[in-house]
Structure formats: C-alpha cells, structure tokens
Amino acid sequence: MNVIWRTMLTILRAKALLRRRGPLDPTVVGRVKLRVLPTDIDLLRHMNNGRYASLFDLGRFDLLIRTGVWDVVNSHAWYAVVASETITFRKSLQLWQRFTVETRLLAHDEKSVYMVHRAVVKGEIYAEMIVRARFLRRSGGLVPHEELFDALHRPDTLPPLEPWMLEWAAASALPSTRAAAPSVWS
C-alpha cells in the first residue's frame, strides 16, 4: 500500500496507452519514469533496498497491461505470482533523483516466465532484478504457456531460456507447497 498512488497512476496511464496505441509486442522493453521521493529513502538518505521491488512492480504492471496480458489474465480468472527474484545494486538512487524503470519479458520454461527490471539513470543501470513468475488459475493449478499464448492470440516469440537462469531458478527454489519445509538452522 505504500506506493498505492503511483500504482494507480501507472495502471491508468498504461490502460490509456493501450487504448490509444494498441497492444505492444511481448518482447519490447517497457519504461516507467519515476523520481525518488522522501518516502522511498532510508536512514542513509538513498533509496531503501526494499523499495526497489515495489517500484519494479510498477514496471511489471505497465508492461503486462500494455501488452494485453493483464486483460486476458483477468478475463480467464488467472493471476501471476512471483516465485523468486534476485536483485543486484550498482549505484544508489538519491532523494529527488529521476530514474526509469525498464522492464522486459526475457523467456520462459515449462512453469515460469522470467522478467528483468532495471533502475536506469541517463542510460546507466543502477540496479537490476531478475524475476521468475507463474500464472495460476483462481480455481487452482498452473496455466500452461500454450494456453496463455493461445488466449493472447499471439505466437510464443520469447527467446529460449539461458542456461544460467535455469541454474538460478533451481538453486533458489524452495520445496513445493505440498512438501514439508521445516525451518531448521544448522
């Protein structure tokens, strides 16, 4: 809820652009221009590391709406969940600094879609987050990618998944929700 106004503005803007310009190809880079606000900073007077994920959500909303995925997902009672993510920081964003959230669908495997988000200032990457997400049915179960692309009336044009991404997904995975996952510290 801490970025609710920016979220609402991003959604309204993306829907207006979709109506005016039509859907974007799923392989494009979406861009949302933002500024670091006082509510984004931490005690060290730069953007809080936890805020990046919330602001990168804005890029995900923008891209999903503008590609038409958002409406299709909602019309089929599907939803997306983040299964894993990792972020790397290069430089700090300072109070009032302008930056752009760049978002791109990268690829998919049999269960997940992979996206990248970047915080960019004047063409330079300040932070980058890789996200693995899944589309689920509200009634339960995973939405197969063939069904998703059929519903979008588009071919699957995402490039193949790079091997390091498969390794990252496997290394960062927790047990299934149907398996035991005790918290045991060694």
Side-chain angles (χ1 to χ4, degrees):
M1 293 302 289
N2 53 21
V3 293
I4 189 70
W5 299 113
R6 286 195 259 189
T7 301
M8 290 170 52
L9 288 172
T10 299
I11 289 171
L12 290 172
R13 175 188 167 273
K15 286 185 176 203
L17 287 170
L18 176 63
R19 276 192 306 275
R20 267 190 258 142
R21 300 181 185 167
L24 297 175
D25 186 88
T27 60
V28 302
V29 176
R31 290 179 174 83
V32 175
K33 293 178 189 255
L34 298 170
R35 182 186 295 264
V36 180
L37 300 178
T39 54
D40 299 329
I41 62 170
D42 61 18
L43 295 174
L44 300 175
R45 298 188 314 265
H46 62 224
M47 188 145 82
N48 180 288
N49 64 310
R51 181 63 81 179
Y52 284 86
S54 294
L55 295 178
F56 287 162
D57 279 348
L58 302 179
R60 193 159 44 253
F61 291 146
D62 175 74
L63 189 65
L64 291 176
I65 290 168
R66 294 183 63 205
T67 56
V69 173
W70 179 278
D71 288 337
V72 168
V73 166
N74 286 328
S75 71
H76 285 80
W78 300 336
Y79 63 100
V81 294
V82 172
S84 56
E85 62 190 16
T86 187
I87 189 166
T88 304
F89 302 98
R90 269 191 77 242
K91 289 185 171 185
S92 296
L93 288 169
Q94 304 300 319
L95 181 62
W96 305 119
Q97 188 171 16
R98 292 179 187 268
F99 67 101
T100 302
V101 171
E102 295 182 347
T103 303
R104 182 166 179 229
L105 286 163
L106 288 180
H108 66 82
D109 59 21
E110 65 281 350
K111 291 182 180 178
S112 303
V113 174
Y114 295 76
M115 302 178 84
V116 65
H117 298 286
R118 293 178 176 167
V120 177
V121 176
K122 297 179 183 171
E124 184 178 7
I125 300 169
Y126 275 49
E128 182 176 81
M129 185 167 75
I130 306 293
V131 174
R132 182 172 60 98
R134 294 182 178 154
F135 287 97
L136 304 175
R137 299 177 195 282
R138 293 207 185 276
S139 60
L142 190 66
V143 177
H145 294 304
E146 303 80 38
E147 190 174 345
L148 175 65
F149 283 102
D150 283 347
L152 288 168
H153 306 294
R154 293 189 182 176
D156 175 0
T157 57
L158 294 177
L161 191 62
E162 294 185 33
W164 73 267
M165 295 183 93
L166 281 171
E167 293 168 13
W168 166 74
S172 63
L174 290 173
S176 160
T177 55
R178 293 179 190 93
S183 178
V184 178
W185 298 90
S186 50

